[in-house]
Every structure is written in C-alpha cells, then in structure tokens.
Amino acid sequence: TETYNKKCLRAAHEVGIKQIISIPAMNSYLQQVKGLIESGAETEEEAVEKVRGYLQPYLDYEYADALYGCFITDEPGADEFDVLGYASKIFAQAAPELCYYVNLFPVIAGGAQLGGSSPISYDTYISEYLEKFETSYLSYDHYPLKKSRDYYLEESFLQNMEMVREAIDEEGKNRKMWTFLQSISFGSNRALESVGDATFQAYSFLAYGGDGIQWFCFACPPPFDGAGYFGNDALIDRNYEKTATYDYVSTANAYLQALMPYYKNFTWKGVMTSSADGGEGNFERIERMESAKTLKSVAGTEDALVGVFEDKEGREGYMVVNFTDPGRKLDNTVTLTLEGAGRAVVVLNGEKTTQAVSGGKLTLELKSGEGCFVIPY
C-alpha cells in the first residue's frame, strides 16, 4: 500500500539508505501496457503519463530521496520477457532516474522454468533478457552453502557467475552484475554459522567482477510459503529481532565496502585457480586462465580462486579467495608468483597493509571464508 511504502521510505531516509518499493497496481498495468499500445487503445505517451501517475505520490513525498526504484517481478520466464522488456522502456521514459527491478533465475532452474511453454537453455535465457531489457544491471540469485550430514558447495555457483559475466561483457554495454547470496536456511541450504559464510560467497562473486550484492533474505518469511520451508535464521527473525546472521552479514558488508576504493578502479579479465579437490566441482565447470601479465601462477594448500583485474594504466589487481566451504574451517596458505613486482597492497578484513614480494612470491594466509584484494607494484 502507499502507506506502507511511505513508511519504508521514511525509515530508509532516517538511516541514510535507499529503498526499492513495490506498487502492485503499477505492476499490473505494466503487464498490460504492450498490448494496450499495440492494439491502439493507448498511445506510448499516455502510457508514460500513467506510469508517472503511479509514481507521483512517492516522487512528491518528503522522503523521496530514499526511493531507489520499483520491484517489478522475481524470476520471470523468458516467455514473459517481451511484455516485461517493453514495459521497462515505458518505465524508463517515465522515471529515468529510478531502477526498474527484475531478478532472474539461477542456472539450476529447469528449462521449463526458464522458457515457460518453450524450454530453453540458460545461455539463451540470459541473452534474451539482455536483448529485451534496457536496464543498467542484470540480477540473478544462486545459493551455494549446503548441508546434509556434511558441508558441501553447490557445484554451479561459479558457473552461474561466469555465464552472466561473459554475456554482459559480450554485449558490451557495461551493465552491472548483481546477485542474491544466501543468508537463511531452506531445503538443503544451511543457515550462516560465521562471518566467513557471508564473506566466502561475496568474495567469490567479486572475483568475477560483481557489483551488487543482495542477501536472501533480510526478514524471515513464514515457515512455509506454499513452495518451501524456511528457517528462522535470516538477519531478522519472525519476531523482528536481530539474529547472529545480522552480525555476520553486517561485518561482511563492512569488509566489502573497505575493498571498494581499490576494487572499483579495476576491470575484470578472468579467473585463475589452484585446486586440491576441484573446488568441490566448481572449477571443472569454468574457464580458467593459465597465467596473467604479472601473475604467473597460484598455489594454495587448499582450493583457491583468484579473480584477475586490470586498471586503466594496465596494472593488475587480484581478488584472492579461500575457496573452501567455511563450514569445514580450512585455513589456506596461498602463494602468488608475481613478475616484476617488489611489493603489494593487500586489503584483508577491512584493513590495508603493504607486504613484500620476496623472490617473486607473495604469500597470503587466508582463514576459512576469507579473501583479500591484492595490488602488486
């Protein structure tokens, strides 16, 4: 409702963040707008004005500074892309400063989910979104932390990142890559048990040049939502009290923000790995670089993932990740062999240090769930 949305915007304003709201009546109209215009029942100009009308109560609100955009739908099939993509163009004319927010399926979704009446591949699903939507980002969800008797990782976690990253880069429009990461238990997905459970996911995403991280979920849904069962262990429980997960994710977010002054200066080029057991299936599903311009090799006592980046001056930077399920609590000594570097800036757990590159090698001690950004010079 408008009253609820305005309460959300006021709360966001008070803590200095922005909010994506949902306007059900507008969403319903946007589902119809393509047909209305193509049938001649409305002109494009009339449609743009109607969308502005739905938005106006919020644009005129005293806390409009907290409005980031509007949630349209979650995990649509490609059979909905024509309608939703057309609507995104109308919305962009009505409110070019606002985000038209749609989140996509992960690679583990079945072909019928992806394509509706005509099952399609995930590559096609992503490419059709990019063709039909004029958004500044592509957002998808994928949750890697699993547990039955033992801890294990979803094998397609990195594959999903690679497929989205390569599709965005091939398109060449510099869209941002956004994702949802896991912060609640449901099905075989486990609850977070440490800061490392959050940072592991986030640093892996950054290793692929990710830009926007969302956590699923902030407040706990009902125990059963009609499709699945959820724990009471998201950031906020069902009594609206902060949980241990809140502290884990809050700490992880602070570490991520500390990386941004360095990370944001670089462009993603690819990934390198060092493997003890194949990244629990993840490494076999991705393309890996043999070496880079400055980084010649990676060696870890456990599995390691390294995102390779380059800045405008051609200098390399690396997102180095202890790629082991944090539930297994495995420390990792990762050694980078670097050519032509004597020192390196290392940003780890929110702190920047400068370390020596001795004999062409930089040794990093990464605890379970840790990652760091490295800039050799």
Side-chain angles (χ1 to χ4, degrees):
T1 65
E2 182 177 329
T3 299
Y4 178 85
N5 282 337
K6 287 183 173 179
K7 288 175 71 174
C8 289
L9 293 176
R10 178 175 178 173
H13 168 87
E14 288 174 352
V15 296
I17 63 174
K18 292 182 181 288
Q19 186 90 343
I20 294 176
I21 62 171
S22 179
I23 307 173
M26 182 184 73
N27 291 350
S28 178
Y29 174 71
L30 289 172
Q31 292 276 358
Q32 305 170 51
V33 72
K34 184 175 188 287
L36 291 170
I37 292 173
E38 290 182 346
S39 70
E42 286 185 7
T43 65
E44 186 171 303
E45 291 75 17
E46 288 171 333
V48 169
E49 283 306 309
K50 278 195 174 180
V51 173
R52 283 198 188 115
Y54 287 115
L55 294 170
Q56 209 61 51
Y58 307 105
L59 297 174
D60 292 341
Y61 186 43
E62 60 182 313
Y63 303 115
D65 62 305
L67 178 59
Y68 186 76
C70 295
F71 168 82
I72 308 301
T73 192
D74 184 45
E75 297 184 334
D79 56 343
E80 302 173 71
F81 285 177
D82 279 337
V83 167
L84 293 170
Y86 189 98
S88 75
K89 298 175 178 67
I90 299 298
F91 184 93
Q93 291 181 63
E97 73 284 2
L98 296 182
C99 175
Y100 177 95
Y101 184 69
V102 174
N103 179 65
L104 301 183
F105 277 115
V107 69
I108 57 174
Q113 287 177 295
L114 300 178
S117 57
S118 302
I120 58 173
S121 70
Y122 195 71
D123 280 324
T124 301
Y125 179 69
I126 294 300
S127 65
E128 289 195 8
Y129 172 90
L130 294 174
E131 177 186 341
K132 294 174 181 177
F133 285 75
E134 293 182 358
T135 56
S136 62
Y137 68 92
L138 187 156
S139 177
Y140 73 96
D141 52 59
H142 203 317
Y143 308 119
L145 303 179
K146 303 282 191 174
K147 190 176 182 182
S148 52
R149 292 181 179 177
D150 299 313
Y151 296 92
Y152 66 102
L153 298 174
E154 168 58 54
E155 292 182 354
S156 58
F157 182 48
L158 297 185
Q159 179 191 26
N160 209 148
M161 296 178 201
E162 179 179 275
M163 295 175 80
V164 173
R165 175 80 274 160
E166 290 185 347
I168 288 173
D169 289 352
E170 184 177 336
E171 182 196 36
K173 293 183 180 179
N174 199 32
R175 299 200 207 209
K176 303 299 184 184
M177 184 165 77
W178 293 1
T179 195
F180 272 99
L181 297 176
Q182 177 179 338
S183 60
I184 191 174
S185 63
F186 59 99
S188 62
N189 294 81
R190 64 179 178 84
L192 301 195
E193 299 172 359
S194 66
V195 173
D197 279 339
T199 53
F200 164 78
Q201 298 180 76
Y203 293 147
S204 298
F205 182 63
L206 293 188
Y208 274 89
D211 188 79
I213 291 173
Q214 306 151 99
W215 296 97
F216 177 78
C217 46
F218 182 72
C220 287
F224 181 66
D225 70 347
Y229 292 88
F230 294 89
N232 194 25
D233 43 31
L235 280 70
I236 303 295
D237 68 20
R238 295 189 186 100
N239 292 321
Y240 298 98
E241 299 289 336
K242 293 178 182 179
T243 66
T245 306
Y246 184 98
D247 295 326
Y248 301 151
V249 170
S250 179
T251 300
N253 284 344
Y255 290 166
L256 296 173
Q257 292 300 329
L259 289 179
M260 291 305 106
Y262 309 92
Y263 175 86
K264 288 282 191 176
N265 293 319
F266 290 82
T267 300
W268 184 79
K269 294 298 178 184
V271 299
M272 295 172 64
T273 62
S274 173
S275 180
D277 66 1
E280 297 187 43
N282 274 266
F283 294 169
E284 281 73 23
R285 297 186 178 211
I286 60 172
E287 296 290 330
R288 289 164 280 168
M289 302 170 66
E290 292 283 335
S291 65
K293 183 170 60 179
T294 301
L295 178 60
K296 297 306 176 183
S297 66
V298 180
T301 55
E302 302 290 346
D303 290 345
L305 170 70
V306 179
V308 179
F309 297 78
E310 194 172 287
D311 70 9
K312 292 179 180 178
E313 283 71 46
R315 293 172 297 200
E316 288 184 346
Y318 318 112
M319 187 69 237
V320 185
V321 186
N322 178 352
F323 196 81
T324 59
D325 189 317
R328 297 166 63 201
K329 297 180 170 52
L330 299 175
D331 294 343
N332 198 346
T333 300
V334 181
T335 301
L336 307 183
T337 300
L338 302 167
E339 187 175 275
R343 300 185 72 78
V345 171
V346 177
V347 186
L348 170 66
N349 293 341
E351 295 185 3
K352 170 194 166 186
T353 60
T354 301
Q355 299 185 25
V357 177
S358 179
K361 297 185 183 297
L362 175 67
T363 300
L364 304 163
E365 300 294 342
L366 298 179
K367 293 183 172 59
S368 174
E370 286 187 342
C372 61
F373 198 73
V374 176
I375 307 170
Y377 64 94

